[in-house]
Structures are given as structure tokens and as C-alpha cells.
Amino acid sequence: MKILTINGSPRKDGCCAKLLKKIAEGAREKGGEVVNFQPNKMKIMGCQACMICKKEKRCVINDEMVKIYNAVDESDVIVVGVPIYFHEMSSQLKTVVDRFYSYMNMDANFDFTTTMKKGKKCVLVVPYGNHDKTVYKEYIKSLEDRFKFFGFDDVEIFVASDSMSEHTEYLEKCYNIGLSLSK
């Protein structure tokens, strides 16, 4: 099982990174092959809204996003750390997510289909500092919808509210998610 993790946090050792590391640890224990990207350390341009990807079926910007595209194509599972900063995903991750638009095909009737290979699973790990587990309920639902729109067949969400505090149960849950990914 090939698993890609994308750490959307600019914090190399923050909550998001710790949760993703636990998922990777569990996946590797079951024989999973894990590759990790941290967009904050990569040179990735924002989407240019050129729409060439609709004709070419692939983004034509030749930057480090190509590495992420290739890893998505080769992976069975994509785990995305989506830290919420000021009511939204981090700007580093937003750049990557916007570039996922290139997976979308548009026909003459402006109906969308996806070019993503079928059968891919996505796990969204959503840490944020507020202790209220419901405060971002609608936003998290919109994240799920967005990733389904890109073509992921199965989207699982793990919310880590009050992530400013140390929660060993969150780390344990993420480890178990990792174990479940490499069945």
C-alpha cells in the first residue's frame, strides 16, 4: 500500500506534523510505503487560472507541485494535514489544493468529471486550537466535499480540536488510522 502524506502546516514539528507522523508510523508497521511532502518547504506557484489543464488534462506549471502530482498518481491513500488557521486551511496548503483543480475535466455543458484514478482514499487530519468540536463543522464538511469533487472515492476525516494541548488519545487514534490504511 502506497501512502502519501501532505503536511499543510508551516510548522515542521507542530501538531499537524505529529499527527501525520503517527499515521505514517502505523502504516509502516503494517508494511505501508509512506512518502511525505511539506508544501511550506517547496516552491509551488499558485494556480494561474489559465485553464490549459482543461485541454491538457494536467497542470502545465513546471514547479515542485509536479512531485506531488506524481505521488498522488502513484499512491493508494493520500493523507492531508489540514490545520485551521484563522478559520481556513493554511495558505501553503491552499496553494496545493487550488492546483488540484487540474484533476477536474469540464465538458461542453460545463459538467465536471475527474482525471484522478479511481479507488483512491483520502484522509483529512484537521487540527485546530479551539476546544469546541463543532465550531468548524460546516467548513470541515466543505473540505470533505472538495476532496470528493477532486475524485477521491472515500474521504475520512479526523478532527483534533484543542490541538494546542497535548492529547495522547489523538496520537493513538492517528496511529490506529495508519494501521488501518495498510490492510
Side-chain angles (χ1 to χ4, degrees):
M1 182 76 62
K2 291 186 177 184
I3 300 161
L4 163 65
T5 66
I6 300 173
N7 180 0
S9 173
R11 297 180 183 139
K12 184 178 142 191
D13 296 316
C15 294
C16 196
K18 289 176 185 174
L19 296 171
L20 292 179
K21 283 179 187 174
K22 277 299 187 183
I23 290 174
E25 184 182 320
R28 285 186 180 113
E29 183 174 308
K30 288 285 193 169
E33 180 184 328
V34 182
V35 174
N36 178 60
F37 287 103
Q38 187 166 359
N40 189 55
K41 301 285 185 193
M42 301 173 76
K43 292 185 185 332
I44 300 174
M45 288 180 58
C47 176
Q48 301 299 295
C50 65
M51 302 300 280
I52 296 172
C53 65
K54 302 303 148 233
K55 294 177 191 141
E56 300 291 326
K57 311 271 191 273
R58 190 68 167 204
C59 181
V60 295
I61 300 172
N62 190 16
D63 60 7
E64 288 189 275
M65 185 67 191
V66 171
K67 295 176 184 177
I68 294 176
Y69 289 136
N70 291 338
V72 168
D73 293 345
E74 294 169 7
S75 297
D76 302 298
V77 180
I78 291 82
V79 181
V80 184
V82 188
I84 296 181
Y85 299 147
F86 200 62
H87 307 285
E88 174 68 84
M89 71 179 73
S90 68
S91 59
Q92 295 86 347
L93 183 59
K94 180 75 166 94
T95 300
V96 171
V97 170
D98 284 352
R99 295 278 298 277
F100 275 14
Y101 180 68
S102 66
Y103 283 110
M104 303 312 305
N105 255 349
M106 196 173 12
D107 67 17
N109 298 320
F110 297 99
D111 290 326
F112 283 97
T113 59
T114 183
T115 60
M116 187 174 289
K117 189 172 102 181
K118 293 287 182 202
K120 291 191 183 288
K121 177 177 181 149
C122 180
V123 177
L124 302 177
V125 177
V126 187
Y128 57 86
N130 194 314
H131 68 278
D132 183 351
K133 284 190 179 282
T134 64
V135 70
Y136 293 116
K137 185 177 174 182
E138 289 83 16
Y139 179 69
I140 293 168
K141 175 64 175 136
S142 78
L143 287 172
E144 178 184 17
D145 293 343
R146 189 177 317 179
F147 280 83
K148 284 181 179 177
F149 182 72
F150 292 139
F152 292 100
D153 292 327
D154 182 17
V155 178
E156 179 182 333
I157 299 171
F158 174 69
V159 175
S161 62
D162 196 20
S163 60
M164 302 287 280
S165 305
E166 216 32 65
H167 284 277
T168 55
E169 70 272 18
Y170 289 165
L171 297 172
E172 184 179 331
K173 174 69 175 165
C174 284
Y175 177 77
N176 289 330
I177 290 170
L179 289 174
S180 74
L181 296 178
S182 289
K183 290 183 178 177

